[in-house]
Amino acid sequence: QVQLVESGGGLVQAGGSLRLSCAASGRTFSTYAMGWFRQAPGKERELVAAISRNGGSTAYADSVKGRFTISRDNAKNTVYLQMNSLKPEDTAVYACAGGLQYSNYVPTRSNEYPYWGQGTQVTVSS
């Protein structure tokens, strides 16, 4: 089992940047694919970005392509989400998620991730 703790959320003006971090417990982080999801009030949870266990493959929502970058440091048991050119519509609670994988497959559905952090609020003002 892995425990996930996010940090780095906050309030930023439109056009600004934030970097979210998700620290994982345990010694098997490198066997987990990781994802970032977000949920805005009144909306369903959606994938933002995901990364394979070795970091070699990634997936992004169309709405964030070219603005957000997911990365991971397996030596530090941490996955990151660099968010640039933020827009008010990016406002949401962002949560990281992890799922054990036996290949470099990149899961994109929330039900493929059994482990979740508590989430961190990102608010983008116009």
Side-chain angles (χ1 to χ4, degrees):
Q1 188 169 350
V2 63
Q3 293 183 322
L4 304 173
V5 179
E6 302 95 339
S7 61
L11 173 64
V12 64
Q13 288 188 331
S17 298
L18 282 175
R19 188 175 83 155
L20 304 183
S21 299
C22 174
S25 64
R27 297 175 293 177
T28 58
F29 178 71
S30 62
T31 63
Y32 284 76
M34 300 296 296
W36 285 99
F37 290 79
R38 68 186 181 186
Q39 188 166 20
K43 295 187 177 181
E44 292 189 355
R45 183 166 57 191
E46 63 175 354
L47 173 77
V48 177
I51 190 166
S52 61
R53 48 185 272 173
N54 70 350
S57 298
T58 57
Y60 293 92
D62 287 344
S63 59
V64 308
K65 283 181 181 177
R67 300 189 297 123
F68 292 10
T69 302
I70 189 170
S71 62
R72 66 188 296 160
D73 185 338
N74 285 346
K76 296 182 178 179
N77 281 17
T78 303
V79 62
Y80 305 97
L81 185 68
Q82 178 67 44
M83 304 186 294
N84 298 330
S85 302
L86 282 160
K87 303 176 181 180
E89 52 263 44
D90 294 318
T91 295
V93 175
Y94 285 69
C96 69
L100 180 65
Q101 292 294 328
Y102 296 100
S103 70
N104 289 315
Y105 169 68
V106 183
T108 58
R109 298 187 300 265
S110 60
N111 63 6
E112 296 182 281
Y113 291 93
Y115 304 111
W116 291 80
Q118 81 286 354
T120 185
Q121 177 70 45
V122 171
T123 303
V124 184
S125 63
S126 57

